[in-house]
Each structure stands twice: as structure tokens, then as C-alpha cells.
Amino acid sequence: MVRKETEQDEISRLLDSYEDETLNQKMDAFAQSKKRRVNKHVSKEAEIPSFVREEKDSDTRIVLGAKDVNTNKEPENLSGTMAFDPNKVEEKKDTVSGTVVIDDNEIQSLLEDQKGPQLTRKKVSKKEGKEDSSIHLKKTSKEGKQKSSKQNGAKTVAVIVASVLGILLAILLIFGVVKLVQTFTSDEISSEQQEAYYQEIMDWIDGYDFYSEDEKQEIIQLESKYNKLTKEQKNQIDEALEAKTGSTFDELLAMAKSKEKENSKNNNTETAQKKAELKEKINDLKTDLSRARSDLEDAQEALDKATATYNKASNTLSSEQSVLDGYNSTIASYQAYQNTYNMKYTEYLNTDYSDTETREQIWKEVESAKASMDALQSDYNTAVSNLSTAQTKVDTAKNEASNAQSAMNQAQQEVDDAQNVVDELTNKISVYQKQLDELD
């Protein structure tokens, strides 16, 4: 009894690992072990429960026990994966999984054909008249398998070829790019170019004794050319420099770079100081500009007032002058009529009495002049009476207008001066700001 349980346990373990990657190895080992046990215990194989397979739509279904086959009913609600005696099975209700056992002949047949069934666990609704859980073994036909194998093989070959071509193309592309980059970045130059660089440096060395400090700093620009020379050319250059300066090219280059760095540091310090000075000047000028603009506004306001005063004085003068002119016109008209009257009256007196017609005509003229005088008499009297006052008002208005004119001119000058200050400060700020921007 112990041996049978051991075999069934092995069968269960085999089923549990049916989809494992090492399935073939386990099945081979199990087949060898099974052959040894079958030879010794053939008579006891009947103890292993039999199974019935139902085939439908190319699927094989394993049904437990002869009793279940006769009743055409599958075992219900079994759980786990283990081998056992079907006569001792106690149905367990309210479970969701079943137990399937494959006999030795079935397993042996699968091993000999070298084809293994595929396990599929499927949960089936009870309403459809099926178990809650079952295991299906799908048949695999040799023809389909061979056809699928050929298709898969063709696809694999195509994928491999495409992959190889893609890799080769990528390698060629990368190789071309690398070559292109090397072409542009290569430090290798022709011997003619090296000779030209060598001669250029030697010419620079020849005039070294007469160079200014800035010209000696040009060795920094010669560094890249020096680095591309041959070792022999470099040695000759170093010998020439040592003869003139006591230092090699690299030593002079190091000193030049150190000096350049120091000059740069000093320049940065000077630049910072200049920036600070310019910013301070700009801020001071902006303060002055603010005051100048305020003065300009005050001057413009004073000019507006002076202009208004002048305009008023001018209007007053114009009015007073008009009154005075009216008085003078009235007096002048009255005096003209009076002169006419006096002249005609004298003429009338001097005319011969015998010339009656002439005397009558002259008298009419005398009377006309007298009528005009009488008509202007009142205005004449008013004009004469107010003439002096009107003249005084005119003179006063002229004086006020003159003063207003002077005040307005002064205000205009102050406005012009304030505007000039604003313009000058604005220009200075612009100049300093430009200098500050150039230092950045």
C-alpha cells in the first residue's frame, strides 16, 4: 500500500510540473523509473483507478473512475492534485476545484510518442452543467505540429537574417560616422604643414628680443601649432629659445599663461571697480536729473503764469488804447467841424453883399458845420474831460504789459535752462550706461 501511494504521489508531482521548463527531463526520469517498477509489480496495476477520456472538438477530457463513467457524471468539487483510490473518494461539497489522475498506460503512451499534452486550467460555471474546475488535455496533431514548426522555423530564419542585416548596417553607419569625426578632429597634419608651423615659430623667436610684453604673450597663440610638430622640431625650437631666454617653449608658455591669468584677474578687479564707479555716477546723475526735472516743471509753471499776466496786460492796454483813440478821434472831428465853421463864417463876412447867391451858399455851409459841431459837442466835452485819464490808463497798461513781457521772457529763459540741464544729465547717464554695458 505504501508503494502505491508513492507512485501516485510521483504522478501528481509530474502533473503539477507539467508546464515547467524541465518537463522533458522529469518525464524521461519518470519513464525509466516506471519501467523498473512495472516489471516487479505488474499484478498490482489494477489498483490504480481507471479513467475514461471524452473527445470533443479535438480536446481530450479526463474523467475520474468507472462509476462516474457509467453514470455519465463527472466528479464534483474535488481539490488538490493527488492520486487516490476512487472507491474511497468522499465527495466534498462547497469546493471549487477537482482532482484528476492519469494512469500509467496513458503516461507511458505519451512518453513513447514523445508528445506531451498541454494543460489548461479552466473554471466552468455550474449553470452550464459542467464542473467548477477541470483540466483539459489538448491534442496536438503531428501534421499541425510539423506545419507550425516549419512556419516558426521560416519566421525565425527571417528574423535572424533581418537582425544580422540590421546589425551590419548599424556597424557600417557607426564606422562611417567615427571615420568622419576622426577626419574632422584628427590632429595629424602633413609634413609640409608641420614645416610651415615650425618656420612660423622660428621667425617669431628671431624677433623675440625686440618684442613688447604683449607681443611675447603671443606664444599662447602658437601653442596649438607647436604641439603638432615633430619631436625633433620641438627640440630645435627649445634650443633656440633657451639660447635667447634661458627657457624652453613650455616654460615660456607656462609663464605667459600665468601672466595672462594674473592680468585677467587684475582686469576683473579693475572692471569691478569701474563698474562700481560708473554705477555710482549714474545713480548721482539720476538724482540730479530728478531735481532738474522738478526745476523744469516749476519753471514751466512760472512761465505759464507770466504768459497769462502778459496776455492780460496786453488786453488791458489794447482796451485803454481803444478808449483813448476814440476820445482823440472825437476831438479831432469836432475841431475839424469848428475849423470849417470858422473858415466859412469868415468867408461869408467877406463876401460882397451884392452877391446874394454866393453869400447864401456860404451861409448854408456855415450852418452845416455849426450843426456838426453841436452834434459832437457832448462827446467832445467827454473826450476832452477823460482824455487825460485815458492817456494815464494807457500808459499804465503799457507799463504792466512791458513788465509782464519781461517776466514771461525770464520764465522762458528759466524753462530753457532747466531743459538744458535735463538734456545734459540725460546724455551723461546714457554715456555712462553705455560704458557700463560694455564692461559686462
Side-chain angles (χ1 to χ4, degrees):
M1 185 64 177
V2 174
R3 182 188 58 77
K4 182 179 65 174
E5 292 179 351
T6 302
E7 292 174 355
Q8 293 175 347
D9 289 343
E10 290 188 31
I11 293 173
S12 298
R13 287 194 298 272
L14 175 61
L15 289 175
D16 291 340
S17 63
Y18 219 162
E19 295 179 348
D20 196 277
E21 294 178 355
T22 60
L23 176 61
N24 293 331
Q25 297 178 3
K26 290 184 178 181
M27 292 181 69
D28 292 340
F30 176 78
Q32 296 298 329
S33 177
K34 186 60 182 178
K35 287 180 179 180
R36 290 193 297 270
R37 288 197 298 269
V38 168
N39 294 331
K40 295 179 181 181
H41 307 285
V42 174
S43 61
K44 295 185 179 182
E45 289 182 355
E47 295 179 1
I48 298 177
S50 60
F51 288 79
V52 176
R53 291 187 295 175
E54 295 179 356
E55 296 186 3
K56 185 178 181 180
D57 298 332
S58 72
D59 289 340
T60 299
R61 190 168 192 177
I62 309 302
V63 182
L64 176 62
K67 182 180 180 179
D68 293 333
V69 173
N70 295 332
T71 58
N72 195 22
K73 180 179 179 182
E74 295 179 0
E76 296 180 357
N77 303 328
L78 299 179
S79 61
T81 304
M82 64 182 180
F84 53 88
D85 189 345
N87 295 323
K88 295 181 180 182
V89 173
E90 294 181 0
E91 292 183 356
K92 294 183 181 180
K93 298 181 179 180
D94 301 328
T95 60
V96 297
S97 61
T99 302
V100 176
V101 179
I102 303 176
D103 64 9
D104 294 344
N105 294 330
E106 178 69 19
I107 296 174
Q108 187 64 33
S109 174
L110 295 174
L111 293 174
E112 291 176 354
D113 293 340
Q114 295 184 352
K115 59 180 180 179
Q118 297 180 352
L119 290 180
T120 301
R121 298 184 182 274
K122 181 178 180 182
K123 188 173 182 180
V124 184
S125 174
K126 288 183 178 181
K127 293 181 180 180
E128 299 176 359
K130 299 181 181 180
E131 295 176 337
D132 290 342
S133 176
S134 62
I135 299 178
H136 295 272
L137 301 178
K138 296 183 179 179
K139 290 184 178 180
T140 304
S141 66
K142 287 187 176 181
E143 294 180 358
K145 190 171 183 180
Q146 291 175 354
K147 183 177 181 180
S148 176
S149 177
K150 290 180 179 180
Q151 292 177 350
N152 291 337
K155 291 181 180 178
T156 302
V157 172
V159 171
I160 292 174
V161 172
S163 299
V164 171
L165 291 177
I167 292 172
L168 291 176
L169 181 61
I171 292 174
L172 290 175
L173 180 61
I174 294 173
F175 180 78
V177 172
V178 170
K179 277 295 184 182
L180 182 63
V181 172
Q182 288 178 348
T183 300
F184 285 103
T185 59
S186 177
D187 289 335
E188 296 182 1
I189 59 175
S190 64
S191 57
E192 292 80 2
Q193 188 65 55
Q194 284 180 327
E195 184 62 29
Y197 288 163
Y198 169 77
Q199 192 59 47
E200 181 181 352
I201 296 175
M202 291 299 292
D203 292 341
W204 178 80
I205 294 173
D206 289 340
Y208 190 87
D209 294 336
F210 305 100
Y211 290 157
S212 64
E213 291 299 324
D214 292 338
E215 290 173 330
K216 291 179 180 179
Q217 289 294 111
E218 292 178 359
I219 190 174
I220 297 175
Q221 281 72 45
L222 298 175
E223 179 184 9
S224 61
K225 299 178 180 180
Y226 175 82
N227 291 334
K228 295 179 180 180
L229 301 180
T230 63
K231 184 176 182 181
E232 182 180 356
Q233 289 172 332
K234 290 180 180 180
N235 290 336
Q236 293 176 2
I237 289 173
D238 288 339
E239 291 176 0
L241 282 174
E242 286 179 341
K244 281 183 173 290
T245 65
S247 301
T248 63
F249 185 92
D250 289 335
E251 291 172 346
L252 290 176
L253 179 63
M255 288 187 291
K257 288 185 175 180
S258 176
K259 187 174 182 180
E260 184 182 48
K261 184 176 181 181
E262 184 66 25
N263 291 338
S264 177
K265 183 177 180 180
N266 294 335
N267 289 337
N268 290 337
T269 302
E270 293 177 0
T271 300
Q273 292 176 348
K274 288 181 179 179
K275 284 184 177 180
E277 292 175 358
L278 289 172
K279 288 180 179 179
E280 184 177 2
K281 289 180 179 180
I282 290 173
N283 290 333
D284 292 341
L285 288 173
K286 285 183 177 179
T287 301
D288 295 340
L289 179 60
S290 178
R291 287 196 296 264
R293 286 175 174 170
S294 178
D295 294 340
L296 176 59
E297 291 177 357
D298 293 341
Q300 187 62 51
E301 184 178 356
L303 175 61
D304 293 341
K305 290 181 179 180
T307 301
T309 301
Y310 172 76
N311 291 335
K312 184 179 179 180
S314 295
N315 291 334
T316 301
L317 174 60
S318 178
S319 178
E320 296 298 338
Q321 186 65 52
S322 179
V323 172
L324 178 62
D325 291 343
Y327 289 157
N328 288 327
S329 178
T330 298
I331 293 173
S333 295
Y334 182 84
Q335 290 177 348
Y337 291 139
Q338 188 178 33
N339 291 334
T340 300
Y341 172 80
N342 291 332
M343 183 184 66
K344 290 298 180 179
Y345 185 75
T346 302
E347 184 180 0
Y348 174 77
L349 294 176
N350 295 327
T351 301
D352 188 358
Y353 285 98
S354 61
D355 190 0
T356 306
E357 184 177 357
T358 301
R359 286 174 62 86
E360 289 177 356
Q361 181 62 37
I362 294 172
W363 182 250
K364 288 180 179 180
E365 293 177 356
V366 170
E367 287 179 344
S368 176
K370 182 68 168 74
S372 297
M373 288 175 59
D374 293 341
L376 288 175
Q377 188 64 53
S378 177
D379 292 339
Y380 172 77
N381 293 335
T382 300
V384 171
S385 175
N386 295 326
L387 182 61
S388 177
T389 302
Q391 184 63 54
T392 300
K393 290 181 178 181
V394 169
D395 294 341
T396 301
K398 285 182 177 180
N399 187 44
E400 290 178 354
S402 177
N403 293 335
Q405 179 71 46
S406 298
M408 184 178 66
N409 293 339
Q410 181 64 30
Q412 184 63 58
Q413 184 62 46
E414 291 178 358
V415 168
D416 294 340
D417 293 342
Q419 185 64 56
N420 291 335
V421 173
V422 169
D423 294 340
E424 182 179 358
L425 292 174
T426 301
N427 291 334
K428 285 184 178 180
I429 291 174
S430 178
V431 171
Y432 289 147
Q433 186 63 52
K434 183 178 180 180
Q435 294 176 4
L436 181 62
D437 294 339
E438 291 175 352
L439 293 176
D440 292 334

